[in-house]
Amino acid sequence: MKLRIDRILGDRPFAEAGEPALTVTDERRDLLAVAGTRTPVAGLPDFGFTAPVGVYGTDDLACRALLRARHPVHALAFHPALPLLAVGSGAYDGGYFFEGELLLLDLETGRTTSLIEHPLGRQVLGLEWLGEHALRVLMAPYDD
């Protein structure tokens, strides 16, 4: 029996998020969200990739929450009052569709909720909380 080590977590800052591609801070809660570049999923063919997002405490850089988006992450936004992180991801398939996700991460429970019901989703390019009840979302068109 051979033992194969895929990766060692904790050997560098933000190891859970992979190679950092995007960051955003929440100074009120002393949190930092780090979106990593897409990484392959063990055991899946070439299309089996995820884009990790880790939420870290700024005091000790310990990972508080982790999610894996199906597409590259383009936008992150902490809610102004609630323990929530909005995550926007997506990609152009090169032919016709702009696929993506709008995810809401509950920082207390670690649960992730998808806010787009369509199977392909939409590519989310930007996020901004306008207040406690309004989130501005910049999306790519559904198709070209």
Side-chain angles (χ1 to χ4, degrees):
M1 177 178 170
K2 285 187 174 182
L3 176 66
R4 187 179 126 226
I5 297 174
D6 190 33
R7 69 183 138 231
I8 299 172
L9 295 179
D11 64 342
R12 62 184 171 77
F14 316 121
E16 298 87 356
E19 188 67 33
L22 176 67
T23 64
V24 66
T25 59
D26 182 347
E27 293 179 6
R28 291 181 309 103
R29 289 186 201 90
D30 293 325
L31 294 175
L32 171 68
V34 178
T37 56
R38 288 179 16 145
T39 56
V41 176
L44 292 179
D46 290 340
F47 60 83
F49 285 84
T50 63
V53 176
V55 179
Y56 301 88
T58 57
D59 55 348
D60 59 2
L61 296 182
C63 186
R64 307 277 198 267
L66 182 67
L67 74 82
R68 297 194 182 279
R70 291 181 294 153
H71 305 281
V73 175
H74 300 287
L76 299 167
F78 283 103
H79 189 277
L82 300 174
L84 299 172
L85 175 67
V87 177
S89 71
Y92 175 56
D93 73 355
Y96 189 70
F97 294 110
F98 294 88
E99 302 173 310
E101 300 174 288
L102 175 56
L103 303 170
L104 198 58
L105 173 63
D106 184 321
L107 299 172
E108 290 181 347
T109 66
R111 288 187 67 196
T112 303
T113 303
S114 178
L115 301 178
I116 300 176
E117 293 182 3
H118 190 276
L120 294 178
R122 291 276 297 275
Q123 184 179 23
V124 178
L125 300 170
L127 296 170
E128 178 187 5
W129 286 100
L130 302 177
E132 291 187 26
H133 303 286
L135 175 65
R136 177 182 294 164
V137 180
L138 174 64
M139 298 177 134
Y142 173 70
D143 59 41
D144 62 1

